[in-house]
Amino acid sequence: MKIGIVGTGYVGLVSGVCFAEMGNDVWCVDVNDAKVADLRRGHMPIYEPDLEVLLHRNLRERRLRFTTSLNEALENSEIIFLALPTPPNADGEADLSYVLEVAADIGIWLGAHPEAVYRIVVNKSTVPVGTADQVQAVLAEQGARPGVNFDVVSNPEFLREGAAVDDFMKPERIVLGTSSPRAGDIMKRLYEPFVRQGNPILIMDERSAEVTKYAANAFLAARISFMNEVANLCDRVGANVDKVRIGVGSDRRIGRHFLYAGIGFGGSCFPKDVQALLRTARREGYDFKILQAVLEVNKKQRMRLVHQVRSHFGGNLRGKRAAVWGLAFKANTDDVRESPAHAVIRGLLESEVQVTAFDPEAMTTSQAVLGESITYAKNAYEALSGVDMLLICTEWPEFRRPDFQRIRGLMRQPLIFDGRNLYNTQRMEERGFEYYSIGRPGSIRDEPFLTQ
Ligand SMILES: NC(=O)c1ccc[n+]([C@@H]2O[C@H](COP(=O)([O-])OP(=O)(O)OC[C@H]3O[C@@H](n4cnc5c(N)ncnc54)[C@H](O)[C@@H]3O)[C@@H](O)[C@H]2O)c1
């Protein structure tokens, strides 16, 4: 099939490459000239496991093309995906300007070709309920005829950064929101090769599809905040959240995923999507209490490690030196949008701690945000030289089994604050470390935090 993807970021690039890998002809459009030029040469703009190999193969096979011209993609595609940013505006609502501006441009092109063509315009961006209707109205305003030369489909994306290729190639479900049987059939044909194992393609109305995406993300975020609350209670009552997690997650009604306590959720999706759903509810006069709590818990949890550090040093941190392992919002990505690690670093800097950080992939993306406020180390061990403490903020595999003797030799004192619960608390004691984690024996109860 012939496909256009507008927006070549984490979602658009993965979608484009994976559709091409399935044998489709794909045109990817982006306004960023440098990114398009890089991609044409096979240079990856992001770190995402397994994506580069597929990018190269599909460029070579000429199934995948990159352009800055929307019209070029429109001429060559029957299905146009919008994988554009929907960042929060000042009120926390999703900013739809990227989506609606591109929709208007598509409408102009369709308006100029009223009879000859039929295109499906697909919202893959995460968008508030009612956006498919808005996109349809914008297209129609420009002279395009709904049902005749276009239909709009809402097709939210559920991929996880760090496992995006696998998630896209083997999705647990495909959600298609459309009231057009013609568009629904074509979209179903497009996705059938991805669900050969029998995972469902769910066709529903546009609004249900839009709510499904937000509800899924909000629910996952709620699990994390819930477990963080459980962890903080464990600290108070002398329980171990790791044991509680396994005990709770063994119940099939609950399941094992998304029950890890830590320093809160981040990334480009959960914080903005929970916020946007809350705003939608408020606009409709509905007080969605759980969502407010999910965000409040997360905000506090991001400072949990910093409060532990302050408590340990009796509040006086000026001139202390800290190493931070992990800058990405989670492992296996270079994405630092809303990264809890950055929040921790900002907290440390406010307390006049000097920070040296290392991340296997997110150094460049972090430098673009944090600039020269911290020092960047070439590897995990270099970051440790002469520091008073190590803080672990991202669960990268290489941090899981480090050389503890080497760590001890490099640090001024063997002191670790672990925001990801990577190590066994008892073994850390045997290794001679003062070791604090989240919701496990030895954690600081952290009065200033709990009384906030
Ligand atoms: N990142 C994720 O894990 C994820 C998962 C599911 C859904 N989503 C949703 O998908 C959407 C895109 O997210 P992302 O993380 O890929 O964003 P991103 O910021 O990584 O990428 C967006 C891309 O769009 C390009 N762009 C902006 N304006 C454009 C225009 N007018 N024409 C062409 N290109 C334009 C930008 O240059 C950028 O390359 C968002 O709504 C997001 O919430 C993201």
Side-chain angles (χ1 to χ4, degrees), residues 255-327:
R256 294 195 163 90
H257 300 292
F258 274 83
L259 291 180
Y260 288 84
I263 47 174
F265 57 78
S268 69
C269 293
F270 284 6
K272 101 171 154 54
D273 293 350
V274 177
Q275 184 73 251
L277 188 58
L278 189 59
R279 299 301 306 182
T280 300
R282 283 211 183 121
R283 196 162 14 88
E284 297 300 319
Y286 184 68
D287 182 14
F288 202 146
K289 287 190 170 43
I290 289 176
L291 293 186
Q292 185 63 44
V294 168
L295 290 175
E296 277 169 22
V297 168
N298 197 53
K299 193 169 167 212
K300 279 200 294 178
Q301 198 69 17
R302 285 156 76 101
M303 284 300 107
R304 183 81 176 88
L305 224 49
V306 176
H307 287 303
Q308 288 200 14
V309 170
R310 285 191 191 135
S311 301
H312 176 88
F313 286 103
N316 184 12
L317 294 174
R318 183 175 296 167
K320 294 275 182 246
R321 295 185 52 200
V324 171
W325 280 6
L327 294 164

Side-chain angles (χ1 to χ4, degrees), residues 6-12 29-32 35 83-86 98 102 124-127 157-161 213 268-269 272-273 335 337:
V6 191
T8 314
Y10 284 87
V11 168
V29 188
D30 207 286
V31 282
N32 184 332
K35 193 185 252 192
L84 292 157
T86 49
Y98 297 88
V102 171
K124 200 168 244 324
S125 299
T126 302
V127 288
E157 180 51 57
F158 298 95
L159 63 77
R160 295 162 298 168
E161 284 176 25
K213 171 64 191 175
S268 69
C269 293
K272 101 171 154 54
D273 293 350
D335 198 344
R337 291 178 283 185

